[in-house]
Amino acid sequence: MSISKLTPSSSDSAKPKINWARIDEADNFANTVKLYRQGKYDEDSFRRFRLQHGAYGTRMTSDYAMVRVKLPAGEIYPKQFETLSRLSEQYSIGSAHFSTRENIQLHWVVLEDVSEIFRSLAEVGLTSREACGNSVRNVMCSPLSGVCSDEKFDSTPYALATAKFFLRNPMAQSLPRKFKFNFTCCEKHGMVRMVDVGLIPEIQQINGSEQKGFKIFLGGGLGNRSFIGHQLEDFTPEEDLLYTSIAVMRIFDRLGDRKNLARNRMRYLVNDMGWEKFQNLVLKERAIVRATQSVVTKLKVDTTPDKITRPLKISDESGSSVPDGYARWLKTNTMKQKQSDYRSVFITLEAGDITSNQLNSMATLIREFSSEGKARSGFVQNVALRYVHEDDLVKLYSKLLETGLAKSGGLTMTTPVGCSGTTSCNLALTNSHRLAKEIQRKFLELKLDEDDDLTDSSIKISGCPNSCAQHGIATIGFFGGGGRLGKDMYPNYQMSLGGRFDADTTLGQTCLRVPAKRVIPVILKIIEMFKENKQSGDTLKSWIHRIVNDSEDSNIKSIGDIKKVLEPLVVPPTKEDDPDFYLDYGSDTSYHTKTGKGECAA
Amino acid sequence: MCCLTPSVKVTTDIDSLRSEIRDKSVRVIDVRREGDYKQDHIPNSVNLPLATLLSDDSPERVLKLVNSLGIDDETPVVVYDDTFGALASRVAWTLEWIGHSDVTLLETTYGNWKSLGLETDSLTPEISNKEHSMNLQSDILATSDYLESAKLRDDVILIDNRERLNYLEQHIPGAVSLPYRTLASADGILRPKEDMKRLFDNRGISGDSEIITYCGSVGTLSGLAYYALKSTGASNAKLYVRSFKEWKNLEKPTDKQEDANYWDLSAE
């Protein structure tokens, strides 16, 4: 009798449709690490190899890696959560981290253990292959695709098919730089204009019949310099989705800058060439692709609908009381779906961090509450549990309370995005990660999540000018740097206002530098200004939008006016007067900037 | 000692233990707290709470305890706990240290034993004293002095079995991090032998080196690692039984991972 035969199995849960893994990559990785340690592999080739397999470098050390596990279209299944839970305990720091691009990351992994992680991931069909490096990164899809009432159709199957087509595809192994696809449900929930290829599902009447297709945006992206994507054409029919993707990648592959690492994303090519010329090239290239590709080259789009079965409830729920905080949570963390009686529930994390126990609980929660039997990673370091029946919400909330996953404010400004910052990243100048947590804790304490005026705003914090936390499209965005008073350095942030990522995608405008320990008072002051000057029906987002567009006529008319009010708050005290000012969050030693080599470009 | 030493049996599987219990050919030690033991335990097992052992783990005292549990030099002993095998390992190692050669760990935890619906009992068996000889195995113990000098040698590997965050924050210079959770499989206290071998092999931890394990305070997590190493045939493993707590109290040097706020990445 072996133990495993006796362990109760949970084979009843939904299974992934696609296996992304290849077990031989684990052995290959282990052997390559050995060769590298023996000096038989040079640094540069090894780094490229490592990144191609999804193992990123770690701050100030070559002993550890971060393993970035891709969740194509954001989908994650119960068994996968259980495996990630175990892996986070065995090889990482007892917790994992959700990124803004639907990856889940294991940090501080010993390089020699990475192959063991690959082995376990393969058992549940997951991979980190091409999660880093100059390849097609995780293909994202809106966490609301399939349940959003504004969508024309569910783009999830197209996102999965695109991910499958390009994963390990020879044409995508050595691009000039990383390449990103984002699919969405509708204009409002998407992030399609700040990515290499962004797609919104669209339906057109052609010769009296409905034709599925997409609005495609090209050449957007956030970073040291950010650009907004351009729409390729009115409508791209679904048959042309793959041809268009291949055409765009071929042009990027051919013409992209392979020398200047700081300017080699496709957005720079589009900007340098000019949109019209780029657009023309894409359309011509697509004609060639369409004419020359073999008929077997196509996306394998599996549109079989998912089985929706409400999990059976064994326990008797009559008389169960409604826990405190339920109404607040219901309002700030859930959305009605287009399917009546169902809601999507967003689980709020602190800057994307989740413990191994919570990862395990997620598996149980999916099995007990999601009628689709899986979850979706969101755009803001969170997890969406969808197809939860209205009648099960109180019970679900009680369970979330037990596991510390019931934080409110998930769909409001009180849940900031924070990249990993100095907790693990070589490029970081500040502890943006901890700052995001500090803001969240403070704002929940102040119950700002219950303020309707603040729901549609966002706060996003990057630890350096690169945009992993997507600060450029935040209502209030920050990126880290160092400030100085005399000889003494302190952690500092550049603040921008008025960014947005919907149909009116705009990059935020620079306002002023805010020392780390003044960020919270500065945001509160902005809210106070807004409350004093708002018009009826205003939200913070709409008020700031008018200001950055020069169409506000109250006392505060411009970014400059806001800056004037805030300036007194950001004056650095001397080190003698306020030593804490000179420490970054989470640190008890004097602040100094220190960075290593970045690996975004390999 | 040589790397070709065949791997030693370090665990006893459930089926074998059940038949040994039926044959009364084994002494089973439950190392959980007395209260837990009294509630229920594996039939015919005796109770030796780890705390009782640790209150005085001098060889003379250990010998007395072993005698009182009815164990002589020939008695096969199987130890179990409900703490992923770490407490059981510490007790098993102590028996080995005073010279008992036939001691193994139950392959699973008591919790799992129960959840499999296997037999339990609340009776305390009548045990008559036995006489165990004293044959101290000093080569499986590392003291702080020993460790300090051994560390200077190239062929000695020092393993820290605490959680990764603790290691990053502070560790004995030169130690490698191998958190105790890494040693377990999904349902057993130790990985299958081939799995374990691959893990060690990737890390360059080979059987022909001298390997010293340590953990936070009393040698439990590192005791488990001691048995993990033994299971792959490592023949020269030692337990630094007083571990990092003593090392720090003695104000010996420590290392840390500099310039990174890793604690803030933890969701705890």
Side-chain angles (χ1 to χ4, degrees):
Chain A
M1 174 167 59
S2 78
I3 301 178
S4 53
K5 277 191 204 128
L6 288 165
T7 311
S9 81
S10 27
S11 55
D12 51 337
S13 47
K15 296 224 169 40
K17 283 182 182 170
I18 300 175
N19 176 10
W20 305 97
R22 266 200 204 159
I23 185 70
D24 52 310
E25 289 175 351
D27 287 329
N28 186 27
F29 196 90
N31 290 333
T32 308
V33 170
K34 280 179 202 161
L35 292 174
Y36 165 66
R37 292 294 197 205
Q38 291 160 11
K40 293 174 184 161
Y41 226 97
D42 69 90
E43 287 284 344
D44 281 352
S45 325
F46 178 72
R47 193 176 65 247
R48 267 196 298 278
F49 171 85
R50 166 164 65 69
L51 291 168
Q52 202 77 349
H53 288 78
Y56 197 79
T58 296
R59 189 171 177 80
M60 306 304 160
T61 166
S62 58
D63 295 339
Y64 298 94
M66 174 269 278
V67 178
R68 179 180 287 155
V69 182
K70 288 168 129 177
L71 305 174
E75 290 193 335
I76 178 163
Y77 292 79
K79 277 247 173 249
Q80 297 174 336
F81 263 120
E82 284 165 347
T83 295
L84 287 162
S85 163
R86 182 168 59 79
L87 294 176
S88 72
E89 273 198 323
Q90 293 190 313
Y91 305 106
S92 181
I93 56 171
S95 47
H97 172 76
F98 276 96
S99 81
T100 52
R101 292 208 75 256
E102 300 180 346
N103 301 291
I104 184 162
Q105 300 180 168
L106 297 169
H107 289 263
W108 293 98
V109 173
V110 172
L111 183 60
E112 278 77 0
D113 286 348
V114 170
S115 57
E116 290 293 297
I117 292 182
F118 290 175
R119 201 172 290 279
S120 295
L121 289 176
E123 286 169 13
V124 290
L126 287 174
T127 191
S128 59
R129 169 91 193 198
E130 290 152 50
C132 312
N134 299 328
S135 51
V136 175
R137 302 295 188 86
N138 190 38
V139 175
M140 289 179 63
C141 190
S142 164
L144 291 167
S145 287
V147 301
C148 169
S149 34
D150 294 331
E151 74 180 358
K152 298 287 171 55
F153 62 91
D154 180 4
S155 60
T156 311
Y158 297 85
L160 291 170
T162 302
K164 185 74 185 154
F165 184 86
F166 287 112
L167 183 67
R168 301 186 182 87
N169 189 319
M171 71 174 282
Q173 298 308 297
S174 186
L175 295 168
R177 191 78 146 83
K178 57 186 168 183
F179 197 80
K180 298 175 179 176
F181 284 90
N182 285 10
F183 286 79
T184 188
C185 44
C186 66
E187 281 282 9
K188 196 174 150 204
H189 300 124
M191 289 211 182
V192 292
R193 287 175 179 80
M194 29 72 56
V195 63
D196 296 295
V197 184
L199 306 101
I200 307 176
E202 190 61 55
I203 287 184
Q204 274 201 357
Q205 297 293 331
I206 294 174
N207 302 329
S209 66
E210 283 198 342
Q211 164 78 55
K212 278 186 185 174
F214 293 89
K215 275 204 266 185
I216 299 184
F217 297 85
L218 300 174
L222 299 172
N224 225 326
R225 269 188 82 193
S226 303
F227 297 98
I228 292 166
H230 305 265
Q231 188 172 346
L232 176 65
E233 56 200 342
D234 271 356
F235 179 77
T236 307
E238 64 170 325
E239 308 84 71
D240 272 346
L241 168 58
L242 180 62
Y243 299 141
T244 311
S245 306
I246 293 177
V248 173
M249 279 171 61
R250 277 197 190 178
I251 292 167
F252 178 47
D253 194 30
R254 212 153 58 217
L255 303 176
D257 188 340
R258 285 178 197 271
K259 289 204 180 107
N260 187 350
L261 291 185
R263 297 174 40 84
N264 57 5
R265 291 292 301 275
M266 191 176 79
R267 62 178 184 270
Y268 292 102
L269 177 66
V270 174
N271 183 59
D272 293 349
M273 185 183 278
W275 167 246
E276 274 179 25
K277 196 169 167 201
F278 187 85
Q279 180 187 30
N280 257 320
L281 272 179
V282 171
L283 297 175
K284 277 186 195 150
E285 186 75 21
R286 183 170 70 188
I288 298 171
V289 172
R290 201 190 281 129
T292 55
Q293 287 295 312
S294 144
V295 287
V296 297
T297 306
K298 53 180 151 193
L299 286 181
K300 296 187 177 58
V301 180
D302 178 358
T303 50
T304 336
D306 286 325
K307 235 168 76 188
I308 303 299
T309 337
R310 190 175 163 198
L312 288 171
K313 291 283 177 302
I314 302 157
S315 58
D316 175 27
E317 281 147 67
S318 57
S320 66
S321 62
V322 178
D324 285 349
Y326 173 72
R328 181 177 173 189
W329 171 84
L330 186 71
K331 177 180 161 190
T332 61
N333 286 53
T334 74
M335 281 170 92
K336 275 186 186 299
Q337 295 186 183
K338 69 177 169 192
Q339 296 83 359
S340 54
D341 302 331
Y342 284 109
R343 276 183 192 250
S344 291
V345 171
F346 287 81
I347 315 271
T348 316
L349 304 172
E350 287 189 335
D353 293 340
I354 182 165
T355 65
S356 66
N357 281 340
Q358 290 170 338
L359 287 164
N360 238 338
S361 311
M362 281 304 308
T364 314
L365 291 168
I366 293 171
R367 291 193 183 106
E368 290 182 4
F369 293 99
S370 169
S371 305
E372 63 175 348
K374 58 187 166 187
R376 298 275 283 243
S377 166
F379 289 161
V380 288
Q381 304 176 314
N382 58 352
V383 190
L385 199 59
R386 317 191 311 171
Y387 283 98
V388 178
H389 197 275
E390 297 271 1
D391 296 346
D392 296 338
L393 287 163
V394 173
K395 180 102 180 164
L396 170 60
Y397 180 68
S398 311
K399 290 270 171 143
L400 290 172
L401 279 175
E402 288 167 20
T403 48
L405 290 169
K407 248 179 221 83
S408 62
L411 298 168
T412 76
M413 189 176 95
T414 55
T415 309
V417 168
C419 67
S420 71
T422 52
T423 67
S424 78
C425 176
N426 251 329
L427 293 170
L429 298 160
T430 53
N431 193 344
S432 45
H433 198 71
R434 173 70 177 267
L435 177 58
K437 293 182 178 186
E438 295 286 339
I439 293 173
Q440 182 180 19
R441 287 167 197 169
K442 185 68 188 171
F443 285 12
L444 286 180
E445 185 191 310
L446 296 172
K447 299 195 169 169
L448 294 184
D449 57 318
E450 294 189 284
D451 188 336
D452 288 338
D453 292 350
L454 306 179
T455 11
D456 61 354
S457 295
S458 60
I459 298 172
K460 297 176 195 286
I461 311 161
S462 302
C464 78
N466 298 297
S467 297
C468 296
Q470 304 166 335
H471 60 262
I473 48 169
T475 317
I476 308 180
F478 297 91
F479 73 82
R484 193 184 282 279
L485 181 69
K487 287 199 305 282
D488 300 317
M489 287 200 82
Y490 57 88
N492 211 8
Y493 286 91
Q494 180 65 260
M495 180 174 76
S496 57
L497 298 174
R500 52 197 291 172
F501 45 88
D502 50 13
D504 303 312
T505 295
T506 318
L507 297 169
Q509 291 182 16
T510 300
C511 180
L512 84 167
R513 288 188 192 278
V514 183
K517 293 288 166 78
R518 298 292 181 267
V519 166
I520 291 174
V522 158
I523 300 173
L524 291 174
K525 188 73 191 174
I526 293 171
I527 295 171
E528 191 187 307
M529 270 186 262
F530 155 69
K531 293 285 183 188
E532 281 164 8
N533 294 289
K534 70 173 217 174
Q535 297 166 14
S536 73
D538 252 350
T539 64
L540 177 64
K541 180 178 167 179
S542 63
W543 180 71
I544 290 183
H545 196 56
R546 277 205 308 279
I547 292 173
V548 298
N549 286 309
D550 298 324
S551 52
E552 170 67 10
D553 48 16
S554 67
N555 287 330
I556 306 289
K557 290 184 181 56
S558 66
I559 294 281
D561 291 344
I562 295 180
K563 187 174 171 178
K564 251 178 251 154
V565 178
L566 298 177
E567 264 165 350
L569 290 176
V570 302
V571 179
T574 64
K575 203 165 185 174
E576 291 69 44
D577 286 346
D578 187 359
D580 178 67
F581 179 89
Y582 290 84
L583 306 177
D584 200 356
Y585 281 107
S587 176
D588 50 12
T589 52
S590 281
Y591 176 78
H592 56 286
T593 51
K594 192 164 187 179
T595 58
K597 190 172 169 9
E599 294 194 332
C600 299
Chain B
M1 267 178 252
C2 174
C3 51
L4 296 174
T5 315
S7 56
V8 190
K9 181 187 158 199
V10 300
T11 53
T12 293
D13 65 88
I14 292 175
D15 285 347
S16 309
L17 183 63
R18 292 171 79 205
S19 67
E20 286 164 17
I21 292 173
R22 280 193 295 270
D23 301 346
K24 299 197 179 354
S25 60
V26 66
R27 176 65 68 223
V28 184
I29 303 180
D30 181 326
V31 305
R32 296 175 304 147
R33 279 181 304 218
E34 195 183 350
D36 295 335
Y37 170 82
K38 285 213 160 122
Q39 228 162 42
D40 53 50
H41 48 256
I42 293 180
N44 235 6
S45 60
V46 294
N47 188 214
L48 174 57
L50 180 67
T52 308
L53 178 82
L54 294 181
S55 63
D56 172 6
D57 60 351
S58 63
E60 299 71 27
R61 162 88 187 315
V62 174
L63 193 65
K64 261 188 217 154
L65 286 171
V66 167
N67 288 341
S68 73
L69 297 175
I71 297 168
D72 63 22
D73 292 57
E74 309 305 321
T75 317
V77 176
V78 175
V79 194
Y80 72 86
D81 63 16
D82 209 7
T83 327
F84 45 87
L87 307 195
S89 297
R90 178 62 170 84
V91 171
W93 177 88
T94 309
L95 261 66
E96 250 191 79
W97 178 54
I98 64 151
H100 192 80
S101 53
D102 192 354
V103 55
T104 55
L105 307 167
L106 177 60
E107 64 170 334
T108 189
T109 59
Y110 184 64
N112 199 38
W113 176 281
K114 268 180 83 166
S115 73
L116 296 174
L118 301 175
E119 47 284 87
T120 63
D121 198 351
S122 57
L123 297 173
T124 306
E126 294 283 324
I127 301 295
S128 46
N129 250 40
K130 284 204 171 161
E131 285 291 315
H132 199 290
S133 64
M134 172 75 87
N135 181 16
L136 214 54
Q137 305 291 307
S138 312
D139 60 340
I140 66 167
L141 168 78
T143 61
S144 58
D145 285 343
Y146 178 82
L147 178 56
E148 220 164 17
S149 65
K151 254 167 32 73
L152 303 172
R153 300 195 338 249
D154 282 348
D155 61 334
V156 175
I157 299 170
L158 178 62
I159 300 179
D160 183 323
N161 298 112
R162 298 172 303 150
E163 286 167 13
R164 177 72 31 85
L165 282 172
N166 298 117
Y167 172 86
L168 291 172
E169 187 178 60
Q170 220 176 17
H171 57 261
I172 300 178
V176 295
S177 164
L178 189 67
Y180 62 96
R181 289 283 189 204
T182 321
L183 307 170
S185 69
D187 44 20
I189 60 167
L190 292 174
R191 293 172 178 237
K193 186 178 153 192
E194 288 312 310
D195 253 32
M196 193 78 84
K197 268 194 128 109
R198 193 186 59 237
L199 174 77
F200 288 150
D201 184 44
N202 286 342
R203 290 292 204 93
I205 299 170
S206 68
D208 47 353
S209 305
E210 178 177 329
I211 307 164
I212 304 173
T213 67
Y214 76 90
C215 54
S217 61
V218 294
T220 46
L221 308 178
S222 46
L224 187 65
Y226 169 84
Y227 284 103
L229 288 161
K230 258 185 99 163
S231 76
T232 63
S235 56
N236 195 4
K238 291 183 183 0
L239 177 62
Y240 173 31
V241 73
R242 301 282 174 241
S243 282
F244 199 56
K245 192 175 177 186
E246 179 191 69
W247 189 265
K248 263 176 45 181
N249 287 341
L250 295 171
E251 295 179 355
K252 306 247 186 214
T254 59
D255 257 359
K256 65 181 289 198
Q257 187 70 39
E258 302 276 359
D259 299 313
N261 305 102
Y262 34 82
W263 278 104
D264 289 325
L265 194 57
S266 151
E268 294 289 358

